[in-house]
Amino acid sequence: MKRFFYILLLSVMALAVPAESYASTSENESEEIDVQEVIFGHLKDSYEWHIITLGEREIAIPLPVILHSSMTGWHFFMSDKLHETENYDGFHIAEEGAFAGKLVETAPDGSEVKPFDLSITKVVVGIFINLILLLGIIMYAGRWYRHHDESDPAPGGFTGLVELMVMMVVDDIIKPAVGKEYKRYTPFLLCLFFFIFLSNLMGLVPIFPGGANVTGNIAVTLFLALLTFLTVNLFGNREYWKEIFWPDVPVFLKCPLPIMPLIELFGVFTKPFALTVRLFANILAGHAVILALTCVIFITARMGPVLGTTLPFISVLFIIFMNCLELLVAFIQAYVFTMLSSVFIGLSRPEHHHKD
């Protein structure tokens, strides 16, 4: 993905080429930039990990494709087979329709049927990479504590930074929101925060192993929200369920028509929906803006010597600003997701208040 680290290189290339050369190629339709294809091509999931395009040659890492067809059973092959032939083992990538971008199978009647897909896609590989990095960070930081005790001075360097972030999440988010039982949920909430934060940062890295749009994939954010949903509702105490099905409101609002219980029950399912959309939309929008500004460099370079030099330079400044802003958003979205999860967990563990 073309982002922060080589945005300047791209802009310099765009500015260095004379405007006349752009004018001479503007009539060539093959040189036109499809902005929509560039943006959605980088944001959506894929069956391979694209590295770079050199001329007409695309360098990509093929990924395993695992499919189960109701007609022909299980199929295992690498995604590069799909480039060697448009139709491999009866499967091809749909270009349009409800299954656009997904592997489909052609039925005997000519219709496209989507098989059961367990393929290791780019987002899945990105998740594995982020988890391995997160595990390495935790083990590296934990090594210091195995050789020191509480009387030693606080660690410095990278270990000190990890400790600072852990203390910030626990003291500023988890403990105030969850309450006295915060230690029970601290491991889960810390994992949420660091996984989201690391995934957001890795999504800004333009080269392998970064660049996977993990937290900009709604399936990933939905799964994270479902983890919070299950934690809240499986470990909620008696007072939590009482407040849902028999809230402390006038009787006519809950009997004979259960107006308030229905509203409270509806709120149980809107909480994970809010978590899902908030993280997904913010990360996706930030990436889309950066990619759109990158395309502006090449589009405006064909508008003559004045606009073709000025607008790309302005676009580069905006791209640098947006990447700096995305670094802040990466932290804020991890903070907000963890904070809301902590609040929801705290609401599921209300304490019973006795009247004097």
Side-chain angles (χ1 to χ4, degrees):
M1 296 183 73
K2 299 176 176 65
R3 288 199 186 98
F4 187 69
F5 290 103
Y6 56 88
I7 286 298
L8 292 177
L9 177 61
L10 293 175
S11 60
V12 169
M13 291 171 60
L15 294 173
V17 178
E20 293 77 6
S21 64
Y22 288 108
S24 63
T25 59
S26 60
E27 298 179 356
N28 189 348
E29 296 182 357
S30 63
E31 296 294 330
E32 294 294 332
I33 297 177
D34 188 345
V35 177
Q36 181 176 349
E37 177 63 26
V38 170
I39 294 176
F40 287 100
H42 284 78
L43 294 179
K44 66 183 181 181
D45 200 3
S46 64
Y47 292 95
E48 64 180 10
W49 195 303
H50 183 268
I51 303 298
I52 193 173
T53 300
L54 299 175
E56 297 182 354
R57 181 186 177 187
E58 293 188 357
I59 300 177
I61 301 176
L63 301 175
V65 176
I66 306 172
L67 304 170
H68 181 268
S69 169
S70 59
M71 296 178 287
T72 57
W74 288 97
H75 295 263
F76 305 90
F77 56 90
M78 300 300 291
S79 60
D80 57 345
K81 301 293 184 181
L82 298 170
H83 293 283
E84 297 175 1
T85 175
E86 294 183 358
N87 196 311
Y88 182 80
D89 261 2
F91 299 98
H92 66 278
I93 298 179
E95 297 181 356
E96 56 185 12
F99 304 133
K102 301 295 183 181
L103 277 171
V104 295
E105 184 178 16
T106 304
D109 60 357
S111 62
E112 292 182 342
V113 180
K114 189 176 186 304
F116 183 61
D117 196 345
L118 292 176
S119 302
I120 309 299
T121 60
K122 180 179 179 179
V123 170
V124 176
V125 175
I127 292 173
F128 288 150
I129 291 174
N130 295 343
L131 290 175
I132 293 173
L133 287 176
L134 182 58
L135 182 61
I137 291 172
I138 299 303
M139 293 181 65
Y140 177 82
R143 185 177 61 178
W144 186 92
Y145 297 94
R146 290 195 297 269
H147 299 88
H148 298 79
D149 52 37
E150 297 180 356
S151 61
D152 293 335
F158 184 76
T159 302
L161 176 63
V162 173
E163 179 180 314
L164 177 65
M165 297 188 69
V166 169
M167 293 177 63
M168 181 271 298
V169 174
V170 174
D171 295 337
D172 296 343
I173 303 177
I174 301 176
K175 188 183 296 186
V178 177
K180 63 180 183 181
E181 298 182 353
Y182 75 95
K183 291 184 179 180
R184 180 181 183 183
Y185 302 96
T186 294
F188 166 67
L189 293 170
L190 282 174
C191 287
L192 272 184
F193 174 83
F194 281 101
F195 174 76
I196 295 174
F197 183 48
L198 182 61
S199 297
N200 292 345
L201 292 179
M202 290 295 292
L204 295 174
V205 179
I207 57 176
F208 183 84
N213 190 29
V214 173
T215 44
N217 187 298
I218 196 168
V220 176
T221 59
L222 176 60
F223 178 76
L224 296 175
L226 286 177
L227 292 179
T228 299
F229 173 78
L230 294 175
T231 303
V232 168
N233 293 283
L234 291 180
F235 300 102
N237 60 16
R238 185 180 303 176
E239 286 292 318
Y240 168 71
W241 293 108
K242 178 181 177 297
E243 291 178 359
I244 293 177
F245 293 106
W246 196 257
D248 188 14
V249 296
V251 177
F252 69 89
L253 291 176
K254 50 189 176 183
C255 185
L257 293 177
I259 299 176
M260 288 304 298
L262 288 177
I263 294 175
E264 293 289 342
L265 188 61
F266 180 74
V268 171
F269 296 97
T270 57
K271 291 173 183 176
F273 175 78
L275 287 175
T276 300
V277 175
R278 180 186 295 272
L279 179 59
F280 160 73
N282 280 280
I283 300 302
L284 187 71
H287 289 185
V289 169
I290 293 175
L291 291 169
L293 290 173
T294 305
C295 293
V296 170
I297 297 175
F298 300 97
I299 294 174
T300 57
R302 305 183 180 190
M303 295 182 177
V306 177
L307 293 178
T309 303
T310 306
L311 293 181
F313 178 75
I314 297 175
S315 179
V316 169
L317 296 180
F318 275 110
I319 291 171
I320 295 174
F321 170 76
M322 284 301 303
N323 273 279
C324 295
L325 184 62
E326 281 297 293
L327 292 175
L328 180 62
V329 170
F331 174 81
I332 291 176
Q333 291 306 314
Y335 186 97
V336 171
F337 194 100
T338 308
M339 180 187 67
L340 291 177
S341 298
S342 302
V343 170
F344 296 155
I345 292 174
L347 293 175
S348 70
R349 309 291 300 177
E351 299 178 5
H352 183 73
H353 300 283
H354 296 277
K355 294 183 179 180
D356 294 337

